[in-house]
Amino acid sequence: QSVLTQPPSVSAAPGQKVTISCSGSISNIGNNYVSWYQQFPGTAPKLLIYDNNKRPSGIPDRFSGSKSGTSATLGITGLQTGDEADYYCGTWDSSLSAGEYVFGTGTKVTVL
Amino acid sequence: QVTLRESGPALVKPTQTLTLTCTVSGFSLGATGMCVSWIRQPPGKALEWLARIDWDDDKYYSSLRTRLAISKDTSRSQVVLTMTHLDPVDTGTYYCARMQRVYDGSHVRYYFDFWGQGTLVTVSS
């Protein structure tokens, strides 16, 4: 049902870097800003990145976002065990009538 | 301090109608640029956006639009979502979230900056 495609899982050792891709189309990522959300089991999602690459106050600069064409990427450097969570991208999609917000399929980050 | 809190029944029977309330504090539902959305998440699955209502009462719906209705009571700081014809596949955690809608003169940007803790709804007979 999700129109934005993410890898189901990524993993790396502590201190390493992971990247999570989010692939969409011209009607969503191609023409709109992307945000990223972090979700720990049993808790609500939390805003991690907005406007493609901006971090809310309190989010460490180990987290970064970028966008190119119809894809976006979340990067996490200096991976920590506390980063183990599910990550979702999201953006507005203008393809249908008034539009709707769409989320990615989600990616589970595992710290080895 | 911005907070959102969902409330509603934990158990609903198939074919019944679900009514969820999101009570907000720390901001006004009538303030320009303020939007609130409902988002759900089936157990073990991805987030799914359902609906949005803006400060000026504009409303937007997902492909489930024929089953959804969103409304707000600014004076009570509440946003209400109703979903008809419930089915077991509608089981999941339902979140309300504040959506920032920022227009910079050429683009409109959207993101969810605050979320409620979620309420688990089980659809079962």
Side-chain angles (χ1 to χ4, degrees):
Chain A
Q1 197 162 5
S2 302
V3 300
L4 304 180
T5 303
Q6 300 177 230
S9 64
V10 296
S11 61
Q16 297 299 304
K17 175 182 179 178
V18 294
T19 60
I20 300 171
S21 59
C22 175
S23 178
S25 66
I26 193 72
S27 66
N28 42 66
I29 294 178
N31 279 327
N32 291 287
Y33 288 78
V34 177
S35 50
W36 289 88
Y37 304 89
Q38 178 189 56
Q39 185 181 34
F40 296 106
T43 69
K46 172 185 172 182
L47 179 65
L48 205 60
I49 296 287
Y50 67 101
D51 289 358
N52 298 333
N53 55 18
K54 296 177 183 175
R55 285 175 287 104
S57 174
I59 301 299
D61 58 7
R62 300 187 299 105
F63 295 92
S64 64
S66 64
K67 189 188 102 166
S68 178
T70 59
S71 293
T73 301
L74 174 71
I76 310 174
T77 59
L79 201 61
Q80 301 176 0
T81 55
D83 298 331
E84 284 204 337
D86 293 323
Y87 294 81
Y88 294 92
C89 57
T91 187
W92 193 256
D93 190 306
S94 321
S95 63
L96 299 171
S97 59
E100 59 182 293
Y101 198 87
V102 291
F103 287 102
T105 49
T107 298
K108 181 176 182 58
V109 170
T110 300
V111 182
L112 301 173
Chain B
Q1 165 196 5
V2 172
T3 65
L4 301 96
R5 186 181 75 252
E6 306 90 348
S7 58
L11 180 64
V12 182
K13 288 180 167 37
T15 74
Q16 288 187 336
T17 293
L18 171 68
T19 299
L20 295 172
T21 300
C22 175
T23 302
V24 309
S25 65
F27 69 99
S28 171
L29 295 174
T32 299
M34 288 299 117
C35 314
V36 171
S37 279
W38 283 95
I39 297 144
R40 72 177 180 179
Q41 186 172 38
K45 296 191 176 181
L47 301 169
E48 179 185 14
W49 177 81
L50 297 175
R52 161 190 148 197
I53 189 164
D54 294 356
W55 74 98
D56 57 2
D57 223 38
D58 276 352
K59 299 164 187 173
Y60 302 80
Y61 296 99
S62 71
S63 56
L64 298 175
R65 63 186 63 244
T66 60
R67 299 173 53 206
L68 299 172
I70 191 170
S71 63
K72 67 180 173 67
D73 184 333
T74 301
S75 63
R76 300 182 68 182
S77 296
Q78 292 182 332
V79 175
V80 175
L81 180 76
T82 59
M83 178 182 288
T84 60
H85 306 294
L86 270 285
D87 181 273
V89 300
D90 296 311
T91 293
T93 299
Y94 286 71
Y95 298 99
C96 60
R98 188 175 81 166
M99 175 185 251
Q100 287 287 357
R101 180 190 181 280
V102 181
Y103 179 59
D104 62 9
S106 59
H107 284 94
V108 182
R109 294 131 55 192
Y110 302 94
Y111 54 92
F112 300 105
D113 59 351
F114 290 94
W115 296 64
Q117 84 281 5
T119 185
L120 176 62
V121 177
T122 301
V123 182
S124 174
S125 54

